[in-house]
Amino acid sequence: MSETQIEPATGLWLEGSTPPRPGVPLTLRPGIQLFLANNPSSWTFEGTNTWVLTDQGQAIVVDPGPVDEPHQQAVADWLAAREAHLEHLVISHGHWDHSGGAKPLAALTGSSGVTDLRGSADGTPLPFGGDSGEHLLVYRTPGHTSDGITLLWPRHKVAFVGDTALARVNPYIHHPDGTVTDILESMDKLAGLLDDSWLMLSGHGPVITSPRSHLVRRMTSRQRRIAEVRAHHEDGLVEEQIVNAMYGDRGEQTRRAAAATVQALLAHITERN
Protein backbone atom coordinates (compact mmCIF):
# COMPACT_ATOMS: atom_id res chain seq x y z
CA MET A 1 0.00 0.00 0.00
CA SER A 2 1.40 3.42 -0.96
CA GLU A 3 1.47 6.36 1.43
CA THR A 4 -1.25 8.10 -0.62
CA GLN A 5 -3.55 5.12 0.13
CA ILE A 6 -3.07 5.31 3.88
CA GLU A 7 -6.17 6.48 5.70
CA PRO A 8 -5.59 10.13 6.72
CA ALA A 9 -4.91 10.95 10.32
CA THR A 10 -7.32 13.32 12.02
CA GLY A 11 -6.63 16.14 14.46
CA LEU A 12 -4.63 19.33 14.82
CA TRP A 13 -0.90 19.64 14.41
CA LEU A 14 -0.18 21.79 17.44
CA GLU A 15 3.04 23.27 18.77
CA GLY A 16 5.02 20.55 20.54
CA SER A 17 3.27 17.67 18.76
CA THR A 18 4.64 15.42 16.02
CA PRO A 19 4.30 16.87 12.51
CA PRO A 20 2.43 14.92 9.86
CA ARG A 21 4.32 12.63 7.51
CA PRO A 22 5.00 13.98 4.01
CA GLY A 23 2.62 12.37 1.55
CA VAL A 24 0.09 11.36 4.19
CA PRO A 25 -2.77 13.84 4.64
CA LEU A 26 -3.81 15.10 8.03
CA THR A 27 -7.52 15.95 8.24
CA LEU A 28 -7.99 18.86 10.63
CA ARG A 29 -11.75 18.71 10.27
CA PRO A 30 -14.10 17.58 7.47
CA GLY A 31 -13.19 19.57 4.37
CA ILE A 32 -9.71 20.68 5.49
CA GLN A 33 -6.64 18.54 4.81
CA LEU A 34 -2.96 19.28 5.34
CA PHE A 35 -0.25 17.81 3.12
CA LEU A 36 3.26 18.57 4.39
CA ALA A 37 5.84 18.94 1.62
CA ASN A 38 9.12 17.11 2.08
CA ASN A 39 11.31 20.25 1.91
CA PRO A 40 12.56 20.83 5.47
CA SER A 41 15.22 23.51 6.00
CA SER A 42 16.07 26.39 8.28
CA TRP A 43 13.92 28.56 5.98
CA THR A 44 10.91 26.24 5.74
CA PHE A 45 11.08 24.47 9.14
CA GLU A 46 9.44 21.01 8.72
CA GLY A 47 8.42 21.91 5.16
CA THR A 48 5.72 23.82 3.30
CA ASN A 49 2.09 23.30 4.32
CA THR A 50 -0.24 22.58 1.42
CA TRP A 51 -3.89 23.02 2.39
CA VAL A 52 -6.63 21.13 0.53
CA LEU A 53 -10.20 22.33 1.01
CA THR A 54 -13.15 20.27 -0.21
CA ASP A 55 -16.89 20.91 -0.38
CA GLN A 56 -19.61 19.27 -2.52
CA GLY A 57 -17.18 17.69 -4.95
CA GLN A 58 -15.11 20.82 -5.42
CA ALA A 59 -11.64 21.55 -4.09
CA ILE A 60 -9.31 24.45 -3.43
CA VAL A 61 -5.58 23.95 -2.94
CA VAL A 62 -3.74 26.69 -1.05
CA ASP A 63 0.04 26.70 -1.63
CA PRO A 64 0.91 23.62 -3.71
CA GLY A 65 4.47 23.73 -2.36
CA PRO A 66 7.77 23.53 -4.22
CA VAL A 67 8.29 21.49 -7.37
CA ASP A 68 8.20 18.01 -5.83
CA GLU A 69 6.61 15.22 -7.86
CA PRO A 70 5.69 12.93 -4.93
CA HIS A 71 4.06 15.85 -3.09
CA GLN A 72 1.95 17.02 -6.01
CA GLN A 73 1.12 13.41 -6.90
CA ALA A 74 -0.10 12.72 -3.36
CA VAL A 75 -2.45 15.71 -3.53
CA ALA A 76 -3.68 14.79 -7.02
CA ASP A 77 -4.26 11.13 -6.04
CA TRP A 78 -6.18 12.16 -2.94
CA LEU A 79 -8.45 14.45 -4.98
CA ALA A 80 -8.96 11.80 -7.69
CA ALA A 81 -9.88 9.14 -5.13
CA ARG A 82 -12.68 11.41 -3.90
CA GLU A 83 -13.69 12.63 -7.36
CA ALA A 84 -13.08 16.20 -6.20
CA HIS A 85 -12.64 18.76 -8.97
CA LEU A 86 -9.84 21.28 -8.35
CA GLU A 87 -11.78 24.51 -8.74
CA HIS A 88 -9.11 26.93 -7.52
CA LEU A 89 -5.34 26.66 -7.12
CA VAL A 90 -4.29 29.57 -4.89
CA ILE A 91 -0.89 30.80 -3.71
CA SER A 92 -0.55 32.89 -0.55
CA HIS A 93 2.53 34.64 -1.99
CA GLY A 94 5.04 34.13 -4.74
CA HIS A 95 7.92 32.45 -2.91
CA TRP A 96 8.99 29.31 -4.76
CA ASP A 97 8.47 26.99 -1.80
CA HIS A 98 4.76 27.88 -1.95
CA SER A 99 4.16 28.44 -5.66
CA GLY A 100 6.63 26.23 -7.53
CA GLY A 101 4.33 23.21 -7.55
CA ALA A 102 1.39 25.05 -9.14
CA LYS A 103 2.05 24.05 -12.76
CA PRO A 104 2.82 20.39 -11.97
CA LEU A 105 -0.32 20.09 -9.84
CA ALA A 106 -2.44 21.78 -12.50
CA ALA A 107 -1.12 19.31 -15.08
CA LEU A 108 -1.83 16.32 -12.84
CA THR A 109 -5.38 17.42 -12.04
CA GLY A 110 -6.37 19.00 -15.35
CA SER A 111 -7.13 22.31 -13.66
CA SER A 112 -6.74 25.65 -15.42
CA GLY A 113 -3.85 26.79 -13.22
CA VAL A 114 -3.49 29.43 -10.53
CA THR A 115 -6.44 31.57 -9.53
CA ASP A 116 -4.36 34.67 -8.80
CA LEU A 117 -6.02 36.57 -5.97
CA ARG A 118 -3.05 38.71 -4.98
CA GLY A 119 -4.48 41.95 -6.37
CA SER A 120 -7.94 41.45 -4.85
CA ALA A 121 -9.65 44.07 -2.73
CA ASP A 122 -10.15 43.19 0.91
CA GLY A 123 -13.28 41.10 1.44
CA THR A 124 -13.45 39.79 -2.15
CA PRO A 125 -15.51 36.57 -2.09
CA LEU A 126 -14.19 33.38 -3.67
CA PRO A 127 -17.23 31.18 -4.49
CA PHE A 128 -16.82 27.56 -3.50
CA GLY A 129 -18.95 24.47 -3.14
CA GLY A 130 -21.24 24.40 -6.17
CA ASP A 131 -24.77 25.59 -5.40
CA SER A 132 -24.24 25.73 -1.64
CA GLY A 133 -23.55 29.47 -1.60
CA GLU A 134 -20.31 28.72 0.22
CA HIS A 135 -17.48 31.19 -0.21
CA LEU A 136 -14.13 32.25 1.14
CA LEU A 137 -12.98 35.83 1.66
CA VAL A 138 -9.70 37.26 0.40
CA TYR A 139 -7.65 39.87 2.31
CA ARG A 140 -4.36 41.48 1.39
CA THR A 141 -1.71 40.80 4.05
CA PRO A 142 1.66 42.06 2.79
CA GLY A 143 4.77 42.29 4.93
CA HIS A 144 6.65 39.03 4.59
CA THR A 145 6.40 39.86 0.89
CA SER A 146 4.51 42.61 -0.89
CA ASP A 147 2.02 40.19 -2.48
CA GLY A 148 0.83 38.23 0.56
CA ILE A 149 -2.83 37.32 0.92
CA THR A 150 -4.98 35.56 3.52
CA LEU A 151 -8.07 33.44 2.84
CA LEU A 152 -10.82 33.30 5.46
CA TRP A 153 -13.32 30.43 5.52
CA PRO A 154 -15.97 31.79 7.87
CA ARG A 155 -18.02 28.58 8.09
CA HIS A 156 -15.08 26.74 9.63
CA LYS A 157 -13.56 29.80 11.35
CA VAL A 158 -10.17 29.17 9.78
CA ALA A 159 -7.76 31.61 8.15
CA PHE A 160 -5.07 30.52 5.69
CA VAL A 161 -2.39 33.13 6.36
CA GLY A 162 0.63 31.96 4.36
CA ASP A 163 3.78 33.35 5.96
CA THR A 164 2.14 36.37 7.58
CA ALA A 165 2.06 34.55 10.93
CA LEU A 166 3.77 31.42 12.24
CA ALA A 167 3.13 29.48 15.44
CA ARG A 168 6.61 29.56 16.95
CA VAL A 169 8.39 32.63 15.58
CA ASN A 170 7.74 35.84 13.71
CA PRO A 171 8.38 35.21 10.00
CA TYR A 172 11.33 36.99 8.49
CA ILE A 173 10.75 40.08 6.33
CA HIS A 174 11.90 39.62 2.73
CA HIS A 175 13.31 43.14 2.51
CA PRO A 176 13.06 45.28 0.44
CA ASP A 177 9.98 43.59 -1.07
CA GLY A 178 8.51 43.05 2.39
CA THR A 179 8.41 45.75 5.04
CA VAL A 180 7.96 45.92 8.80
CA THR A 181 5.32 48.62 8.38
CA ASP A 182 3.27 46.28 6.17
CA ILE A 183 3.63 43.22 8.40
CA LEU A 184 2.50 45.15 11.46
CA GLU A 185 -0.51 46.54 9.58
CA SER A 186 -1.38 43.07 8.26
CA MET A 187 -1.12 41.48 11.70
CA ASP A 188 -3.28 44.23 13.15
CA LYS A 189 -5.81 43.69 10.34
CA LEU A 190 -6.01 39.98 11.09
CA ALA A 191 -6.36 40.64 14.82
CA GLY A 192 -9.39 42.74 13.97
CA LEU A 193 -10.92 40.09 11.70
CA LEU A 194 -10.37 37.01 13.87
CA ASP A 195 -11.22 36.28 17.46
CA ASP A 196 -9.72 33.53 19.59
CA SER A 197 -12.34 30.99 18.49
CA TRP A 198 -10.74 30.86 15.01
CA LEU A 199 -7.68 28.92 13.84
CA MET A 200 -4.84 30.32 11.74
CA LEU A 201 -3.33 27.84 9.29
CA SER A 202 0.14 28.96 8.22
CA GLY A 203 2.42 28.20 5.32
CA HIS A 204 4.85 26.47 7.69
CA GLY A 205 4.58 24.83 11.07
CA PRO A 206 1.74 23.97 13.45
CA VAL A 207 -1.78 25.35 13.67
CA ILE A 208 -2.15 28.64 15.55
CA THR A 209 -4.91 28.58 18.15
CA SER A 210 -6.33 31.72 19.82
CA PRO A 211 -5.18 33.83 16.85
CA ARG A 212 -6.08 37.27 18.16
CA SER A 213 -4.07 36.73 21.35
CA HIS A 214 -1.24 35.20 19.33
CA LEU A 215 -1.10 38.19 16.97
CA VAL A 216 -1.06 40.65 19.84
CA ARG A 217 1.87 38.79 21.41
CA ARG A 218 3.73 38.67 18.11
CA MET A 219 3.16 42.37 17.42
CA THR A 220 4.54 43.14 20.88
CA SER A 221 7.56 40.96 20.06
CA ARG A 222 8.05 42.90 16.80
CA GLN A 223 7.99 46.17 18.70
CA ARG A 224 10.63 44.84 21.10
CA ARG A 225 12.83 43.94 18.13
CA ILE A 226 12.36 47.42 16.70
CA ALA A 227 13.42 48.95 20.01
CA GLU A 228 16.44 46.62 20.19
CA VAL A 229 17.62 47.51 16.69
CA ARG A 230 17.04 51.21 17.36
CA ALA A 231 19.21 51.03 20.49
CA HIS A 232 22.03 49.29 18.61
CA HIS A 233 21.72 51.79 15.75
CA GLU A 234 21.88 54.74 18.14
CA ASP A 235 24.99 53.17 19.70
CA GLY A 236 26.65 53.41 16.30
CA LEU A 237 26.50 49.76 15.24
CA VAL A 238 26.20 49.07 11.53
CA GLU A 239 23.96 46.39 10.02
CA GLU A 240 26.39 43.46 10.21
CA GLN A 241 27.25 44.29 13.80
CA ILE A 242 23.57 44.43 14.70
CA VAL A 243 22.99 41.00 13.12
CA ASN A 244 25.93 39.63 15.15
CA ALA A 245 24.66 41.21 18.36
CA MET A 246 21.10 39.95 17.95
CA TYR A 247 21.50 36.58 16.26
CA GLY A 248 25.14 35.46 16.60
CA ASP A 249 26.34 32.59 14.45
CA ARG A 250 23.35 30.43 13.50
CA GLY A 251 24.41 29.16 10.08
CA GLU A 252 24.36 30.75 6.65
CA GLN A 253 20.66 30.36 5.84
CA THR A 254 19.44 31.58 9.21
CA ARG A 255 21.92 34.46 9.05
CA ARG A 256 20.59 35.52 5.64
CA ALA A 257 17.07 35.63 7.03
CA ALA A 258 18.30 37.54 10.10
CA ALA A 259 20.13 40.04 7.89
CA ALA A 260 16.99 40.63 5.80
CA THR A 261 14.96 41.20 8.95
CA VAL A 262 17.52 43.64 10.39
CA GLN A 263 17.56 45.52 7.07
CA ALA A 264 13.78 45.76 7.22
CA LEU A 265 13.83 46.93 10.84
CA LEU A 266 16.45 49.59 10.08
CA ALA A 267 14.38 50.81 7.12
CA HIS A 268 11.30 50.99 9.35
CA ILE A 269 13.22 52.96 11.98
CA THR A 270 14.57 55.36 9.35
CA GLU A 271 11.08 55.93 7.99
CA ARG A 272 9.84 56.80 11.48
CA ASN A 273 12.68 59.24 12.27
XYZ file of all heavy atoms in Angstrom, residues 28-29 32 49 51 53 62-63 92 136-139 141 149-166 186 189-191 193-195 197-203 206-209 211-212 215:
425
model
N -7.771 18.053 9.451
C -7.992 18.863 10.633
C -9.453 18.811 11.064
O -9.775 18.780 12.241
C -7.582 20.318 10.377
C -6.087 20.619 10.548
C -5.273 20.038 9.408
C -5.855 22.109 10.642
N -10.309 18.838 10.081
C -11.753 18.707 10.268
C -12.324 18.398 8.893
O -11.627 18.574 7.889
C -12.352 19.982 10.870
C -12.091 21.254 10.086
C -12.618 22.503 10.775
N -12.069 22.659 12.119
C -12.225 23.756 12.860
N -12.913 24.786 12.385
N -11.704 23.829 14.072
N -11.008 19.993 5.391
C -9.712 20.679 5.490
C -8.619 19.636 5.729
O -8.575 19.002 6.794
C -9.689 21.725 6.623
C -10.808 22.745 6.439
C -8.337 22.434 6.661
C -10.928 23.728 7.587
N 3.446 23.824 4.123
C 2.094 23.296 4.323
C 1.250 23.552 3.076
O 1.072 24.708 2.669
C 1.428 23.967 5.518
C 2.076 23.603 6.836
O 2.692 22.546 6.964
N 1.943 24.470 7.827
N -2.549 23.192 1.835
C -3.888 23.025 2.395
C -4.861 22.658 1.288
O -4.913 23.323 0.254
C -4.336 24.308 3.090
C -3.425 24.702 4.212
C -2.437 25.652 4.181
C -3.382 24.123 5.510
N -1.789 25.705 5.395
C -2.343 24.778 6.220
C -4.107 23.122 6.155
C -2.029 24.468 7.540
C -3.794 22.803 7.456
C -2.771 23.475 8.142
N -8.850 22.076 0.536
C -10.205 22.331 1.014
C -11.178 21.639 0.072
O -11.026 21.723 -1.157
C -10.508 23.832 1.012
C -9.785 24.757 1.982
C -8.268 24.684 1.865
C -10.233 26.210 1.746
N -4.469 25.486 -1.446
C -3.744 26.687 -1.052
C -2.276 26.311 -0.866
O -1.949 25.480 -0.022
C -4.303 27.299 0.251
C -3.525 28.564 0.619
C -5.793 27.603 0.112
N -1.405 26.912 -1.674
C 0.040 26.697 -1.627
C 0.410 25.260 -1.982
O 0.562 24.394 -1.102
C 0.629 27.076 -0.272
C 0.654 28.586 -0.053
O 0.545 29.332 -1.047
O 0.809 29.023 1.094
N -0.477 31.820 -1.552
C -0.552 32.890 -0.550
C 0.442 34.011 -0.843
O 0.234 35.149 -0.440
C -0.289 32.325 0.854
O 1.035 31.807 0.953
N -15.223 31.786 0.305
C -14.128 32.247 1.139
C -13.957 33.742 0.908
O -14.484 34.293 -0.061
C -12.832 31.502 0.814
C -12.695 30.072 1.358
C -13.585 29.100 0.617
C -11.244 29.601 1.258
N -13.218 34.396 1.788
C -12.980 35.833 1.663
C -11.479 36.079 1.560
O -10.689 35.477 2.284
C -13.546 36.586 2.880
C -15.042 36.444 3.120
C -15.437 37.117 4.445
C -15.845 37.061 1.974
N -11.102 36.968 0.666
C -9.698 37.264 0.398
C -9.333 38.598 1.055
O -10.077 39.582 0.945
C -9.433 37.365 -1.119
C -7.939 37.562 -1.392
C -9.970 36.143 -1.846
N -8.174 38.625 1.718
C -7.653 39.868 2.307
C -6.176 39.992 1.957
O -5.431 39.009 1.981
C -7.830 39.877 3.833
C -9.250 40.096 4.260
C -10.131 39.016 4.367
C -9.728 41.379 4.514
C -11.459 39.216 4.723
C -11.055 41.580 4.882
C -11.911 40.503 4.977
O -13.232 40.702 5.328
N -2.523 40.781 2.826
C -1.710 40.796 4.051
C -0.231 40.834 3.683
O 0.507 39.867 3.893
C -2.028 39.572 4.940
O -2.007 38.370 4.134
C -3.389 39.720 5.607
N -1.383 37.294 0.700
C -2.834 37.322 0.924
C -3.200 36.311 1.994
O -2.439 35.375 2.306
C -3.647 37.021 -0.355
C -3.344 35.603 -0.863
C -3.409 38.083 -1.416
C -4.307 35.126 -1.944
N -4.379 36.496 2.565
C -4.982 35.562 3.523
C -6.364 35.181 3.017
O -7.099 36.041 2.493
C -5.076 36.205 4.912
O -3.768 36.279 5.489
C -5.980 35.407 5.837
N -6.719 33.925 3.157
C -8.066 33.442 2.845
C -8.785 33.094 4.135
O -8.257 32.336 4.956
C -8.014 32.204 1.954
C -7.585 32.366 0.498
C -7.537 31.004 -0.173
C -8.557 33.263 -0.248
N -9.978 33.632 4.316
C -10.819 33.303 5.460
C -11.944 32.380 4.999
O -12.585 32.635 3.969
C -11.429 34.574 6.065
C -10.641 35.312 7.149
C -9.266 35.725 6.645
C -11.418 36.541 7.606
N -12.183 31.311 5.764
C -13.319 30.429 5.524
C -14.229 30.556 6.739
O -14.079 29.839 7.729
C -12.852 28.989 5.341
C -13.867 28.107 4.656
C -15.126 28.438 4.282
C -13.686 26.738 4.274
N -15.756 27.384 3.688
C -14.889 26.322 3.665
C -12.622 25.840 4.388
C -15.058 25.036 3.174
C -12.790 24.550 3.901
C -13.992 24.152 3.292
N -15.173 31.478 6.679
C -15.974 31.787 7.873
C -16.738 30.601 8.445
O -16.894 30.495 9.660
C -16.930 32.883 7.376
C -16.210 33.528 6.231
C -15.486 32.393 5.564
N -17.232 29.704 7.567
C -18.019 28.578 8.086
C -17.214 27.741 9.064
O -17.728 27.270 10.077
C -18.499 27.693 6.927
C -19.447 26.583 7.388
C -19.923 25.734 6.234
N -18.905 24.760 5.836
C -19.067 23.917 4.817
N -20.152 23.979 4.067
N -18.129 23.035 4.532
N -15.929 27.560 8.772
C -15.075 26.741 9.626
C -14.257 27.572 10.615
O -13.521 27.014 11.432
C -14.114 25.911 8.775
C -14.768 24.769 8.052
N -15.300 23.683 8.708
C -14.981 24.556 6.733
C -15.805 22.829 7.819
N -15.620 23.338 6.617
N -14.350 28.891 10.509
C -13.560 29.795 11.351
C -12.070 29.478 11.251
O -11.376 29.298 12.252
C -14.029 29.737 12.815
C -15.361 30.418 13.065
C -15.617 30.589 14.551
C -16.833 31.470 14.809
N -17.032 31.725 16.252
N -11.588 29.379 10.019
C -10.167 29.165 9.775
C -9.658 30.231 8.817
O -10.385 30.693 7.933
C -9.863 27.762 9.215
C -10.183 26.683 10.238
C -10.600 27.520 7.911
N -8.409 30.632 9.006
C -7.757 31.614 8.148
C -6.456 31.016 7.640
O -5.627 30.555 8.428
C -7.482 32.907 8.922
N -6.288 31.021 6.324
C -5.073 30.523 5.690
C -4.173 31.731 5.449
O -4.424 32.533 4.549
C -5.421 29.803 4.383
C -6.387 28.657 4.581
C -7.760 28.867 4.520
C -5.928 27.382 4.871
C -8.657 27.827 4.716
C -6.805 26.331 5.073
C -8.179 26.555 4.996
N -3.121 31.858 6.268
C -2.395 33.128 6.361
C -1.028 33.103 5.682
O -0.293 34.090 5.756
C -2.221 33.558 7.836
C -3.582 33.782 8.484
C -1.409 32.529 8.624
N -0.681 32.011 4.995
C 0.630 31.959 4.358
C 1.741 32.163 5.373
O 1.759 31.549 6.436
N 2.673 33.075 5.059
C 3.784 33.351 5.964
C 3.610 34.671 6.712
O 4.587 35.237 7.216
C 5.107 33.368 5.187
C 5.550 31.978 4.764
O 4.824 31.007 5.068
O 6.605 31.855 4.107
N 2.387 35.152 6.810
C 2.139 36.375 7.578
C 2.270 36.116 9.075
O 2.661 37.003 9.836
C 0.738 36.937 7.250
O 0.684 37.235 5.850
C 0.444 38.206 8.033
N 1.943 34.913 9.518
C 2.064 34.547 10.934
C 2.450 33.081 11.031
O 1.947 32.244 10.272
C 0.757 34.798 11.675
N 3.339 32.784 11.964
C 3.766 31.417 12.238
C 3.566 31.125 13.722
O 3.539 32.040 14.552
C 5.233 31.217 11.866
C 5.625 31.523 10.414
C 7.134 31.381 10.237
C 4.886 30.620 9.432
N -0.671 44.308 8.613
C -1.379 43.073 8.265
C -1.746 42.271 9.511
O -2.855 41.720 9.606
C -0.513 42.217 7.332
O -0.355 42.844 6.082
N -4.588 43.954 11.110
C -5.805 43.687 10.340
C -6.390 42.326 10.708
O -7.595 42.198 10.966
C -5.511 43.740 8.841
C -6.705 43.440 7.946
C -6.283 43.269 6.492
C -5.799 44.572 5.885
N -5.506 44.405 4.421
N -5.531 41.314 10.757
C -6.011 39.979 11.092
C -6.533 39.911 12.520
O -7.538 39.235 12.791
C -4.890 38.958 10.894
C -4.501 38.655 9.447
C -3.297 37.723 9.404
C -5.670 38.052 8.679
N -5.879 40.624 13.425
C -6.355 40.640 14.817
C -7.744 41.258 14.915
O -8.514 40.920 15.822
C -5.370 41.402 15.693
N -9.989 40.962 12.419
C -10.919 40.088 11.695
C -11.221 38.794 12.441
O -12.302 38.216 12.292
C -10.330 39.733 10.322
C -10.247 40.853 9.291
C -9.375 40.419 8.107
C -11.642 41.225 8.797
N -10.262 38.322 13.228
C -10.366 37.012 13.871
C -10.453 37.169 15.377
O -9.771 38.011 15.958
C -9.143 36.153 13.538
C -8.685 36.111 12.087
C -7.389 35.308 11.967
C -9.762 35.534 11.182
N -11.278 36.346 16.009
C -11.216 36.283 17.463
C -10.556 34.964 17.852
O -10.110 34.200 16.997
C -12.596 36.460 18.103
C -13.597 35.383 17.681
O -13.173 34.220 17.474
O -14.797 35.689 17.563
N -11.650 32.240 18.815
C -12.337 30.994 18.493
C -11.934 30.467 17.106
O -12.296 29.352 16.740
C -13.854 31.187 18.549
O -14.299 32.065 17.520
N -11.194 31.264 16.336
C -10.735 30.861 15.014
C -9.436 30.063 15.130
O -8.846 29.964 16.209
C -10.494 32.086 14.135
C -11.735 32.742 13.604
C -12.746 33.300 14.342
C -12.082 32.919 12.234
N -13.709 33.822 13.505
C -13.321 33.605 12.201
C -11.471 32.593 11.020
C -13.959 33.943 11.009
C -12.098 32.927 9.831
C -13.336 33.587 9.827
N -9.000 29.516 13.996
C -7.680 28.924 13.841
C -6.969 29.634 12.698
O -7.590 29.989 11.698
C -7.771 27.430 13.512
C -8.412 26.501 14.537
C -8.502 25.088 13.966
C -7.634 26.495 15.844
N -5.657 29.833 12.852
C -4.839 30.315 11.743
C -3.995 29.152 11.238
O -3.315 28.487 12.025
C -3.939 31.487 12.162
C -4.680 32.791 12.336
S -3.616 34.265 12.324
C -2.553 33.923 13.741
N -4.052 28.925 9.933
C -3.327 27.839 9.294
C -2.243 28.465 8.421
O -2.537 29.123 7.427
C -4.277 26.976 8.460
C -5.533 26.489 9.225
C -6.394 25.606 8.332
C -5.149 25.751 10.502
N -0.996 28.266 8.817
C 0.135 28.964 8.221
C 0.751 28.181 7.072
O 0.437 27.009 6.843
C 1.204 29.221 9.283
O 0.700 29.974 10.356
N 1.692 28.842 6.394
C 2.423 28.200 5.317
C 3.502 27.258 5.798
O 4.014 26.443 5.028
N 3.013 24.413 12.869
C 1.743 23.974 13.450
C 0.612 24.996 13.303
O 0.831 26.165 12.955
C 2.096 23.784 14.934
C 3.584 23.720 15.003
C 4.077 24.552 13.868
N -0.573 24.510 13.621
C -1.777 25.354 13.670
C -1.634 26.387 14.789
O -1.083 26.093 15.858
C -3.019 24.465 13.905
C -4.253 25.300 14.222
C -3.253 23.556 12.703
N -2.139 27.581 14.536
C -2.148 28.642 15.546
C -3.538 28.713 16.143
O -4.515 29.015 15.451
C -1.760 30.005 14.943
C -0.340 29.952 14.372
C -1.873 31.113 15.991
C 0.036 31.190 13.574
N -3.651 28.426 17.436
C -4.908 28.580 18.146
C -4.959 29.967 18.787
O -3.940 30.645 18.898
C -5.057 27.492 19.217
O -3.949 27.595 20.131
C -5.046 26.099 18.587
N -5.984 32.992 17.743
C -5.183 33.834 16.852
C -5.093 35.299 17.252
O -4.036 35.914 17.074
C -5.864 33.680 15.491
C -7.234 33.179 15.787
C -7.102 32.349 17.016
N -6.172 35.855 17.794
C -6.078 37.275 18.161
C -5.038 37.474 19.261
O -4.188 38.369 19.175
C -7.438 37.813 18.620
C -7.403 39.295 19.004
C -8.782 39.813 19.356
N -9.626 39.881 18.173
C -10.946 40.093 18.199
N -11.558 40.220 19.376
N -11.643 40.162 17.085
N -1.543 37.043 17.765
C -1.105 38.188 16.967
C -0.692 39.358 17.851
O 0.302 40.033 17.571
C -2.219 38.605 16.006
C -2.454 37.647 14.831
C -3.836 37.876 14.224
C -1.367 37.793 13.772
